[in-house]
Amino acid sequence: MEPAGYITESGGRVFLDVFVQPRARVEGIVGIQGRALKMKVKAPPLDGRANDAVVRSIAEALGIAPRQVVIVRGESSRNKRLEIAGLTLPEVRSALTRVVSSHAHEPG
């Protein structure tokens, strides 16, 4: 299997690149866009609500607490970089590959 380019590791830290579509009708991980995981959230990009929804959705997909997901770049952008604490790169890759694969044929 080809490594997921949206998941990287640096200095023992795992990072996830995400492209977010706020104000969507449905919410969740919907696939890959370029070198980023594509997500839709219902929340608007106001007062950090969309960011909170992204953190919650990623944490849920990985089976970890939201406090283990931190936005390290892109707080006010659709393109975000998240740091994932408490999981290894293979663990994150495995969990997200399953989620992306399960949504690959759903209408987005």
Side-chain angles (χ1 to χ4, degrees), residues 4 8 11 13 29 31 33 35 46-47 51 55 57-58 60 75 77-78 84 87 98-100 105:
T8 57
R13 298 163 48 194
I29 297 169
Q33 180 164 322
R35 292 187 52 84
L46 302 170
D47 302 322
N51 288 339
V55 167
S57 290
I58 292 294
E60 183 178 319
E75 288 235 351
S77 169
R78 288 179 177 223
I84 310 300
L87 294 177
R98 280 193 307 270
V99 172
V100 169
H105 302 292

Side-chain angles (χ1 to χ4, degrees), residues 30-31 99-106:
V30 296
V99 172
V100 169
S101 295
S102 71
H103 294 310
H105 302 292
E106 293 180 7

Side-chain angles (χ1 to χ4, degrees), residues 6-7 14-16 18 29 37 39 54-66 68-70 82-99:
Y6 55 89
I7 306 167
V14 178
F15 297 96
L16 178 63
V18 179
I29 297 169
L37 188 67
M39 294 187 66
V54 167
V55 167
R56 279 192 315 273
S57 290
I58 292 294
E60 183 178 319
L62 294 173
I64 59 176
Q68 291 175 261
V69 179
V70 177
L82 312 177
E83 181 177 350
I84 310 300
L87 294 177
T88 65
L89 183 133
E91 290 169 330
V92 172
R93 181 179 292 138
S94 176
L96 292 178
T97 298
R98 280 193 307 270
V99 172

